[in-house]
């Protein structure tokens, strides 16, 4: 700390912070610094005493230093004054030079402006003279050349006038410029109209003259005015003749008639518009660009159609609307293909220009596709709701309600029947759901812009089916819960349950098949590779699987109920059968058993009957994926449950035999250790020491035990025939009764 205090770069704040960090108080710090001060003072006194002569020489060494400094100061002051004088002179000269240069710049600008005024005046005179010459010439080619030269000169006039727009000369000349400009545009308009009127056979000469006129318009930056003239003179009369003659503003327009009108328009464009566009493109110079196909022919045709046939775009009759829309889309594609030739100087393909055109966008939006989809969706909801309308239908959303003057098509009962038969369906819910999905993507319903809406509705249909199928299965199980045994198994509700289970598999297959078909017709924006299409299809199939995932729980619930009903029917009288087996050998002197009891072969008869019903529901095909999966599910559950119930009932029967046997022994013998030992073994199904293997049972109890063993072996064999596994409790039971076997 003392070394830090003696450094030249001593930092008081850092020193105090370090001391505080070490836990020192301000009083301790003051005491420490006071001690250091005393030590520094003693060091200073010691240094003065050691070098006292040097200390005394400090004052004598500085004697005369004031005189020396004064001698130097006077020359330096003179030098400073000289430098300041030179600086003032140089600053004055620089300011003079700047003023002269500014004056020279003003003169140059005035000279240039004067040159502009001279050129402007000469150009005005020349343009006026060219216009006069053009009016005097009788040759069309010379006439348009004069107009083109005048257009180039007028373009330069505009440039010069803009440079001096605030000058009185230019202001005074503006009126003359405007008059000349209007005269030139009028002359060009008359010339272009005359050329278009003479454009009958699309000759090279007329095309060249039109191209020259369009070049003049391009030089004047009046391309839109030229395009407007062509639309008015060439396209509008024909479009008016085709569309304007239709009564009713397009209401109820037959699709065949509409398609015929569009074919006439395409023929006109092909014979008149395409040769003109090609010829103009070939004649135009660099920098002059006309998209005649889009900006002239398409704009006028589409505008005329929207004005004269507005009701064509309204889906009052969905079938006609569908056909008319498809015809319009085909017309637009063929129209773009007519102008797909190369040669546009700005590098933009005609298809891109057409797609970005405001009239094309307006034409596409004018088709009321949302209303059309709402009508089709309304029909689908009607079908899903059924005649009574008690089922829950997909929620309407995202689409406006159909106009009041529209009506949904009638439900096609034949189509419903075909959907049911085609998908092999057995329930009404699945039939309606499959029909609804097919309806979304039907060739006479689906339109490309509605792809996302159709996907959304398809998912809603799947969710609707999942909910209704689950509700139907639960209702059937609840309604059949009061019955038991064979009565429950023979109930028609069991058939209905199997039908629903069958249709869940059929529905999944139909939904995935429809998804794959839909993926093949839905346009993929920006990508056309097979890998991309495969990825999209896989994603949509995964979404369908996810939507139907909860149906697995429904199927398991139905299968578990059917399996439980089978087990209940098969094992309901199992205890009675075992008692009958006991009575068959008790005091009857019957020979030892050699085969399993007759009732054992009937334990799995209900399962076989249900499997026959499953085959029947699947039209006799027992090899289908659904049949195999459902049978496997039922067999696993039924075989495990029956084997477990058999093991429990048989264990109880054997224990009863052992208890009876022990009771008889206790009656015959006096109480003693042996009696107590027998008492300890009287609750065991197989008494200790019992081993009938390789022996012929002679007692009634051993005959009963052998019969139980034969029955258990038969059960194990039948479970194996069903390719299933018995319950663990049954497996333990088989191990326990092994000494009772042959």
């Amino acid at each position: 700390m003392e070394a830090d205090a003696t450094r030249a770069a001593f930092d008081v704040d850092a020193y105090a912070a370090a001391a505080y960090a070490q836990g020192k108080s301000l009083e301790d710090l003051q005491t420490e610094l006071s001690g250091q001060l005393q030590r520094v003072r003693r060091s200073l006194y010691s240094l003065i005493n050691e070098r006292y002569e040097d200390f005394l020489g400090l004052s004598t060494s500085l004697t005369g230093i004031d005189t020396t400094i004064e001698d130097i100061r006077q020359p330096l002051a003179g030098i400073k004054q000289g430098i300041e004088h030179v600086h003032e002179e140089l600053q004055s000269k620089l300011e003079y030079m700047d003023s002269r240069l500014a004056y020279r710049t003003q003169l140059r600008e005035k000279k240039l402006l004067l040159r502009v005024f001279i050129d402007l005046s000469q150009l005005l005179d020349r343009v006026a003279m060219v216009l006069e010459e053009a009016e005097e010439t009788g040759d069309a080619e010379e006439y348009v050349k004069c107009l083109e030269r005048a257009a180039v000169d007028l373009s330069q006039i505009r440039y010069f006038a803009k440079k001096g727009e605030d000058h009185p000369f230019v202001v005074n000349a503006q009126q003359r410029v405007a008059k000349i400009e209007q005269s030139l545009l009028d002359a060009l308009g008359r010339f272009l109209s005359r050329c278009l009127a003479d454009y009958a056979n699309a000759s090279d000469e007329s095309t060249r003259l039109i191209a020259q006129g369009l070049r003049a318009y391009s030089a004047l930056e009046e391309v839109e005015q030229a395009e407007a003239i062509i639309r008015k003179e060439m396209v509008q009369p024909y479009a008016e003749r085709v569309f304007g003659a239709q009564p009713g503003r397009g209401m109820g327009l037959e699709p065949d008639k509409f398609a015929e009108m569009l074919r006439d328009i395409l023929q006109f464009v092909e014979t008149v518009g395409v040769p003109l566009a090609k010829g103009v493109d070939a004649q135009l110079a660099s920098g002059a660009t006309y998209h005649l196909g889009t900006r002239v022919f398409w704009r006028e045709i589409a505008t005329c159609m929207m004005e004269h046939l507005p009701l064509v775009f309204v889906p009052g009759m969905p079938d006609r609307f569908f056909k008319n829309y498809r015809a319009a889309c085909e017309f637009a594609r063929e129209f773009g293909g007519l102008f797909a030739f190369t040669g546009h100087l700005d590098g933009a393909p005609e298809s891109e220009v057409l797609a970005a055109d405001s009239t094309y966008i307006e034409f596409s939006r004018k088709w009321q596709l949302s209303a059309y989809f709402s009508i089709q969706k309304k029909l689908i909801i009607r079908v899903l709701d059924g005649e009574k309308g008690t089922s829950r239908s997909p929620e309407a959303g995202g689409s406006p309600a159909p106009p009041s003057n529209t009506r949904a098509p009638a439900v096609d009962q034949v189509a419903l029947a075909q959907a049911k038969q085609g998908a092999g369906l057995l329930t009404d819910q699945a039939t309606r759901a499959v029909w609804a999905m097919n309806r979304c993507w039907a060739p006479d319903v689906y339109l490309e812009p509605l792809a996302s809406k159709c996907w959304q509705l398809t998912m809603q249909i799947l969710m609707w089916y999942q909910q209704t199928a689950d509700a139907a299965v639960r209702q059937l199980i609840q309604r059949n819960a009061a019955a038991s045994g064979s009565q429950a198994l023979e109930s028609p509700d069991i058939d209905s349950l199997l039908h629903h289970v069958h249709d869940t598999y059929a529905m999944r297959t139909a939904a995935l098949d429809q998804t794959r078909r839909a993926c093949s017709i839905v346009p993929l924006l920006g990508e056309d590779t097979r890998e991309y299409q495969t990825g999209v299809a896989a994603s949509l199939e995964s979404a369908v699987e996810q939507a139907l995932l909860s149906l697995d729980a429904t199927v398991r619930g139905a299968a578990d109920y059917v399996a439980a009903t089978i087990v209940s029917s098969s094992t309901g009288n199992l205890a009675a059968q075992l008692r009958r087996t006991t009575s068959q050998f008790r005091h009857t002197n019957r020979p030892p058993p050699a085969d399993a009891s007759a009732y054992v072969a009937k334990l799995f008869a209900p399962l076989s009957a249900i499997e026959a019903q499953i085959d029947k529901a699947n039209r006799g095909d027992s090899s289908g994926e659904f049949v195999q999966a459902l049978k496997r599910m039922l067999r696993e559950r039924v075989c495990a449950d029956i084997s477990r119930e058999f093991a429990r009932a048989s264990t109880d029967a054997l224990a009863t035999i052992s208890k009876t046997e022990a009771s008889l022994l206790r009656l015959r013998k006096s109480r003693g250790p042996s009696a107590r030992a027998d008492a300890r073994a009287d609750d065991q199904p197989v008494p200790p020491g019992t081993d009938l293997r390789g022996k012929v049972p002679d007692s009634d109890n051993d005959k009963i035990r052998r019969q139980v063993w034969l029955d258990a072996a038969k059960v194990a064999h039948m479970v194996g025939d069903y390719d299933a596994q018995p319950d663990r409790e049954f497996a333990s039971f088989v191990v326990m009764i092994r000494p009772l076997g042959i």
Side-chain angles (χ1 to χ4, degrees):
M1 297 291 290
E2 183 176 352
D4 294 338
T6 57
R7 287 187 304 177
F10 176 67
D11 188 347
V12 177
D13 295 335
Y15 182 83
Y20 179 76
Q22 294 177 2
K24 295 181 180 180
S25 64
L26 294 178
E27 290 77 7
D28 296 338
L29 184 60
Q30 182 181 11
T31 302
E32 182 179 341
L33 291 175
S34 298
Q36 290 186 19
L37 178 60
Q38 294 298 328
R39 287 191 293 273
V40 171
R41 284 178 177 175
R42 286 194 296 270
S43 298
L44 178 60
Y45 296 154
S46 176
L47 179 62
I48 292 174
N49 291 334
E50 290 176 1
R51 303 180 62 180
Y52 187 70
E53 294 181 359
D54 294 336
F55 177 73
L56 294 177
L58 286 176
S59 59
T60 57
S61 298
L62 296 176
T63 303
I65 192 63
D66 295 338
T67 305
T68 304
I69 291 175
E70 188 65 28
D71 293 341
I72 296 174
R73 181 184 294 148
Q74 291 179 358
L76 289 176
I79 294 173
K80 178 182 178 182
Q81 291 177 358
I83 292 174
E84 290 177 352
H85 179 70
V86 172
H87 179 269
E88 291 176 357
E89 290 184 353
L90 290 175
Q91 185 66 29
S92 176
K93 290 181 179 180
L94 286 174
E95 292 176 356
Y96 175 76
M97 291 179 65
D98 288 342
S99 64
R100 300 304 298 173
L101 289 174
Y103 179 70
R104 185 176 180 181
T105 300
Q106 292 177 359
L107 291 177
R108 185 183 298 110
E109 291 178 353
K110 291 180 180 180
K111 181 179 179 180
L112 291 175
L113 189 59
L114 182 60
R115 182 72 262 174
V116 168
F117 293 159
I118 294 173
D119 292 341
L120 180 59
S121 178
Q122 291 177 352
L123 286 171
L124 288 171
D125 294 339
R126 189 167 69 184
V127 170
M129 182 179 62
V130 169
L131 290 176
E132 291 177 0
E133 292 178 358
E135 294 298 334
E136 294 176 357
T137 182
D139 184 58
E141 188 168 353
E142 288 296 327
Y143 180 75
V144 72
K145 286 182 179 179
C146 292
L147 295 180
E148 192 172 358
R149 288 198 305 270
V152 174
D153 290 342
L154 186 57
S155 177
Q156 293 181 354
I157 289 173
R158 289 175 174 175
Y159 170 76
F160 289 134
K162 187 175 181 180
K163 294 188 66 176
E165 55 185 354
D166 296 332
H167 197 277
F169 177 83
V170 176
V171 174
N172 294 332
Q174 284 293 347
Q175 185 175 2
R176 186 183 178 192
V177 172
K179 183 178 179 180
I180 292 175
E181 181 177 351
Q182 188 60 46
S183 299
L184 179 56
L185 290 175
D186 292 342
L188 282 172
R190 291 192 298 271
F191 174 77
L192 186 58
S193 298
R194 187 166 59 251
C195 290
L196 292 173
D198 295 339
Y199 186 80
N201 299 322
S203 62
D204 294 339
E205 181 180 359
S206 58
T207 302
R208 185 174 63 255
L209 293 176
I210 293 174
Q212 286 179 302
L214 294 179
R215 266 203 310 267
Y217 273 107
S218 180
L220 292 173
E221 298 180 355
E222 297 289 347
V223 172
E224 293 184 0
Q225 184 172 345
E227 293 172 347
I229 293 174
I230 300 177
R231 288 201 301 270
K232 179 180 179 181
E233 300 294 336
M234 177 177 286
V235 186
Q236 183 178 355
Y238 191 85
E240 291 280 352
R241 187 164 61 252
V242 173
F243 297 123
Q246 298 302 318
R249 298 172 62 80
M251 176 180 291
L253 182 61
E254 292 290 342
D256 292 341
K257 179 62 177 178
F258 185 63
E260 181 182 357
M261 294 162 59
L262 296 180
R263 285 194 298 270
D264 292 343
I265 291 292
L266 281 175
Q267 184 178 4
F268 165 73
V269 174
E270 185 175 8
T271 56
V272 177
V274 173
L276 177 62
K278 287 183 177 180
V280 168
D281 279 355
Q283 295 289 333
L284 288 179
S286 176
T289 302
Y290 285 88
H291 290 284
L292 297 182
T294 297
R295 298 173 184 170
V296 174
F297 286 88
W298 173 264
R299 286 184 180 179
E300 187 60 36
I301 291 169
T303 300
C304 189
M305 186 189 305
M306 290 187 287
E307 288 179 355
H308 291 283
L309 305 176
L311 297 181
V312 171
F313 303 91
V314 179
M317 299 179 180
D319 293 340
R320 292 185 179 182
F321 176 86
F322 173 85
K323 294 177 181 179
N324 288 336
Y325 178 79
R326 293 294 295 269
C329 291
E330 184 65 23
F331 166 75
R333 281 192 290 268
E334 292 185 12
F335 184 94
L338 292 177
F339 295 92
F341 51 83
T342 59
H344 290 304
L345 300 174
D346 63 351
E350 189 72 24
S351 58
E352 295 182 5
V353 178
L354 179 62
D357 184 69
S358 59
T359 308
Y360 182 84
I361 296 174
E362 181 185 1
F363 178 80
S364 301
R365 291 177 177 174
K366 198 170 183 63
W367 292 93
Q368 298 182 18
L369 296 177
S370 295
Y372 167 78
F373 180 78
S374 296
I375 296 174
Q376 297 295 345
K377 183 176 181 179
K378 183 178 180 181
L379 170 63
I380 291 173
I381 292 175
R382 285 173 51 198
V383 173
L384 293 179
D385 283 342
E387 295 182 358
K388 297 181 180 180
T390 55
S391 300
R392 187 183 305 167
S393 59
E395 295 181 0
S399 300
S404 58
N405 61 340
T406 63
R407 63 179 185 273
V411 179
D412 190 350
Q413 298 298 330
V414 176
L416 283 173
Q418 291 176 348
K420 184 174 185 178
Q421 183 178 4
L425 302 172
L426 302 173
T427 62
D428 183 56
Q429 293 92 333
T431 300
R432 286 182 279 159
V434 169
W435 179 90
M437 284 193 305
N438 294 340
R439 181 71 180 178
C440 287
W441 304 97
D444 59 342
V445 173
Y446 168 73
L447 296 173
E448 288 184 359
L450 299 175
S452 61
K453 292 181 179 292
C454 289
W455 280 122
Q456 183 181 11
L457 183 56
T458 298
M459 299 305 294
Q460 290 177 342
I461 292 169
L462 294 178
M463 295 301 297
W464 172 88
Y465 174 73
Q466 180 270 323
Q467 295 171 3
T468 53
D470 184 71
V473 168
R474 291 177 183 274
Q475 184 179 7
L476 288 171
I477 293 175
Q478 184 178 6
R479 188 170 62 192
N480 204 43
S484 61
S486 59
Q487 181 183 1
L489 198 62
E490 294 171 359
S491 171
D493 291 340
I494 296 296
D495 288 338
S496 299
L497 277 176
L498 293 176
H499 291 172
H500 278 290
V501 173
H502 168 274
D503 280 1
T504 57
Y505 284 91
M507 184 67 185
R508 178 178 278 103
T509 302
L512 292 175
D513 290 343
Q514 182 60 71
T515 300
R516 298 184 186 101
R517 289 194 297 270
C519 288
S520 65
I521 62 175
V522 173
L524 300 177
L525 302 179
E527 297 283 352
D528 57 356
T529 62
R530 183 177 299 275
E531 292 79 6
Y532 182 76
Q533 293 177 348
T534 303
V536 171
S539 299
L540 292 173
E541 290 177 20
S542 176
V544 171
E545 289 278 10
Q546 190 67 27
L548 296 174
L549 189 60
S550 57
L551 283 178
D552 293 341
T554 302
V555 172
R556 285 194 299 270
D560 288 345
Y561 176 77
V562 173
T565 305
I566 293 173
V567 173
S568 175
S569 176
S570 299
T571 61
N573 59 347
L574 189 57
Q577 292 289 354
L578 287 169
R579 288 194 298 271
R580 190 176 296 112
T581 298
T582 301
S583 63
Q584 287 177 353
F585 293 98
R586 184 83 69 189
H587 308 298
T588 59
N589 200 25
R590 295 185 63 175
D595 296 317
S597 301
Y599 81 90
V600 176
K602 300 178 181 179
L603 284 176
F604 294 92
L607 176 60
S608 299
I610 291 296
E611 289 189 349
Q613 289 180 258
I614 295 174
D615 292 338
K616 181 180 179 181
N618 206 47
R619 300 179 181 179
D621 183 9
S622 60
S623 61
E625 180 181 355
F626 151 71
V627 174
Q628 295 299 322
L630 183 56
K631 285 183 178 180
R632 183 167 56 251
M633 191 183 306
L634 291 176
R635 288 175 178 180
E636 291 175 355
R637 173 70 186 276
V638 170
C639 289
D641 289 356
I642 288 180
S643 63
R644 183 181 66 252
E645 295 300 321
F646 178 85
R648 291 177 179 177
S650 298
T651 300
D652 292 342
L654 291 175
T656 300
I657 294 172
S658 297
K659 290 179 181 180
T660 302
E661 191 175 36
S663 298
L664 292 174
L665 287 174
R666 283 194 292 270
L667 290 174
R668 294 173 184 175
K669 296 182 180 181
S670 62
R671 295 183 179 277
S674 61
R676 288 194 295 271
D678 290 337
R680 287 196 298 270
D682 63 0
D683 60 347
Q684 297 185 18
V686 180
T690 302
D691 191 352
L692 302 180
R693 288 173 289 190
K695 300 177 182 179
V696 177
D698 53 358
S699 68
D700 293 346
N701 289 336
D702 288 344
K703 292 177 183 179
I704 296 172
R705 292 185 178 107
R706 175 61 60 82
Q707 184 65 67
V708 171
W709 182 89
L710 290 171
D711 293 347
K714 179 66 174 179
V715 170
H717 178 74
M718 296 177 70
V719 169
D721 289 344
Y722 280 110
D723 196 19
Q725 295 294 328
D727 187 76
R728 291 182 179 180
E729 192 172 337
F730 178 82
S732 300
F733 173 75
V734 170
V735 173
M736 180 182 66
I737 66 172
R738 189 175 297 163
L740 307 180
I742 298 175

